[in-house]
Amino acid sequence: VNQILLLLLVLTVCAILYNKVHQVPLALKNETVDLESPEEMEEEIPVVICAAAGRMGAAVAAISSIHSNTEANVLFYIVGLKTTIPHIRKWIENSKLKEIKFKVVEFNPMVLKGKIRQDASRPELLQPLNFVRFYLPLLIQKHEKVIYLDDDVIVQGDIQELYDTKLTPGHAAAFSDDCDLPSTHEMVRSVGMQNTYMGFLDYRKQAIRDLGISPSTCSFNPGVIVANMTEWKHQRITKQLEKWMQRNVEENIYSSTLGGGVATPPMLIVFHGKYSSINPMWHIRHLGWSPDARYSEQFLQEAKLLHWNGRYKPWDYPSVHTDLWENWFIPDPSGKFKLTRPDS
């Protein structure tokens, strides 16, 4: 009996030791599985793009380029007006983009009532969706950090890299300085593009002089924004932008005939000295400023993001570097949107 009891005790001790030895790798294995579980642990990257009537192909090409060049968990917020939303939704759901994660958001243009002068030389700049960037926290509410992109861009890099842009504490947004990249300076000079505050604000007006901003201060381009929503709301950025829009209605302190836009000047004022910088290669611009001026092919291949800001868009004619844009264009299944080409 004693021998049997001793044998049982030895077996029990062995069993306990066996379990302890084999539980450690099992626990490690479970932890590894949890850490590698795909989208549950993956941060969502919200990207805001507008889909305007007459240029929805631009939004589609931009989305296509982002989706094709990243493995990140991107959520597209596609902003449109009530009349245009069905078109863009149908385009996405009936093309290879049907696999993207997206939300369609309706923008109510009534928020702009009384805030825009109706005397611009380029009426397309007064389209309501041009001002969506002013209202990001009202449209996108569950994210701390948001990327906003103009529709006339193509992304050649991994959007995760842009999203990882570091914002200085206290800054609500990051932009690209218009003086940040020596390679673009010759382009700016050749096409007469403005890159200082003097090109956007009317320094003959007392309200502008009272700001104390030197007219030679380098401007920035708000076509690519990495924004901190908490700071944006805390600093009441939207209210500040609206204040300057209303002052322009009353005093005409900036004009689309100067720097080529009415959405940029209020941002230049509100964010002066209070923004972080985006890597210059993440915003190569002025591709739409002239139908003749071109960058070198090598330079464009190295660029992470291309921006056709200006009158000459790559879906129209004339324009430059259209091949880089068409690589990502997806034809409209409804046939409503067509490219304009010399032989069309």
Side-chain angles (χ1 to χ4, degrees):
V1 172
N2 290 338
Q3 288 179 337
I4 293 172
L5 289 174
L6 183 60
L7 180 61
L8 289 173
L9 180 61
V10 171
L11 290 173
T12 302
V13 171
C14 289
I16 292 170
L17 290 173
Y18 179 88
N19 284 337
K20 283 189 175 180
V21 169
H22 286 80
Q23 274 176 356
V24 176
L26 183 61
L28 288 175
K29 182 180 178 184
N30 287 340
E31 276 185 32
T32 305
V33 170
D34 288 340
L35 288 173
E36 290 181 353
S37 59
E39 295 190 357
E40 291 179 0
M41 302 297 291
E42 210 176 355
E43 186 174 15
E44 204 167 56
I45 298 179
V47 177
V48 179
I49 294 181
C50 296
R55 48 193 290 162
M56 285 191 194
V60 166
I63 292 169
S64 170
S65 69
I66 295 167
H67 176 66
S68 300
N69 287 307
T70 188
E71 296 294 327
N73 181 23
V74 180
L75 173 59
F76 293 97
Y77 284 87
I78 303 169
V79 186
L81 301 181
K82 188 174 183 178
T83 53
T84 60
I85 283 175
H87 185 187
I88 192 67
R89 186 186 293 278
K90 183 178 179 182
W91 196 331
I92 290 171
E93 292 177 348
N94 290 277
S95 72
K96 65 181 182 181
L97 290 179
K98 61 187 175 187
E99 62 192 51
I100 69 169
K101 290 171 62 179
F102 74 100
K103 292 183 179 179
V104 176
V105 181
E106 181 183 340
F107 182 68
N108 185 354
M110 288 304 293
V111 300
L112 300 172
K113 189 174 181 181
K115 300 184 182 77
I116 305 174
R117 292 180 65 90
Q118 298 298 320
D119 59 351
S121 62
R122 292 178 60 193
E124 73 272 15
L125 296 173
L126 299 178
Q127 294 302 314
L129 296 182
N130 256 353
F131 301 91
V132 161
R133 70 198 92 188
F134 289 14
Y135 297 94
L136 291 176
L138 302 180
L139 298 166
I140 316 300
Q141 297 180 2
K142 73 169 188 170
H143 301 281
E144 166 74 8
K145 197 175 186 183
V146 171
I147 294 173
Y148 166 86
L149 299 176
D150 276 354
D151 60 0
D152 51 356
V153 306
I154 287 297
V155 174
Q156 300 186 137
D158 187 339
I159 199 72
Q160 179 76 55
E161 188 180 326
L162 179 61
Y163 185 74
D164 290 340
T165 298
K166 301 295 183 187
L167 272 68
T168 302
H171 286 177
F175 305 99
S176 293
D177 286 308
D178 285 330
C179 310
D180 61 6
L181 201 62
S183 307
T184 66
H185 293 176
E186 186 178 341
M187 169 76 83
V188 168
R189 285 193 296 271
S190 68
V191 300
M193 181 70 183
Q194 300 290 344
N195 64 358
T196 66
Y197 272 58
M198 181 180 283
F200 295 89
L201 304 177
D202 189 346
Y203 276 83
R204 295 171 300 179
K205 301 295 171 69
Q206 189 62 43
I208 297 302
R209 294 200 298 273
D210 287 346
L211 290 170
I213 302 173
S214 168
S216 62
T217 301
C218 187
S219 53
F220 59 81
N221 187 299
V224 177
I225 307 173
V226 181
N228 180 310
M229 293 292 92
T230 301
E231 281 295 337
W232 193 292
K233 288 181 278 192
H234 175 69
Q235 297 179 32
R236 297 170 63 83
I237 296 294
T238 297
K239 289 294 182 186
Q240 292 188 59
L241 292 167
E242 288 184 325
K243 182 191 83 170
W244 284 103
M245 291 169 75
Q246 287 168 332
R247 286 201 69 171
N248 185 58
V249 170
E250 297 160 6
E251 305 173 42
N252 195 23
I253 55 178
Y254 54 82
S255 166
S256 64
T257 58
L258 293 171
V262 291
T264 298
M267 299 199 87
L268 292 177
I269 295 171
V270 170
F271 284 101
H272 172 66
K274 295 184 292 186
Y275 67 91
S276 300
S277 295
I278 290 173
N279 180 329
M281 296 306 288
W282 268 100
H283 196 176
I284 302 304
R285 45 209 179 277
H286 314 320
L287 276 76
W289 205 254
S290 165
D292 303 310
R294 290 174 170 268
Y295 289 111
S296 75
E297 291 302 321
Q298 181 181 349
F299 178 67
L300 292 177
Q301 291 298 330
E302 294 171 355
K304 305 284 189 176
L305 182 148
L306 305 174
H307 188 184
W308 279 262
N309 58 311
R311 296 173 184 263
Y312 302 97
K313 303 301 186 186
W315 55 90
D316 279 335
Y317 180 83
S319 56
V320 296
H321 303 299
T322 53
D323 55 324
L324 294 175
W325 184 86
E326 279 193 55
N327 282 340
W328 307 108
F329 175 67
I330 299 172
D332 182 1
S334 72
K336 294 177 184 176
F337 182 94
K338 294 183 173 65
L339 302 182
T340 304
R341 294 293 180 256
D343 53 353
S344 62

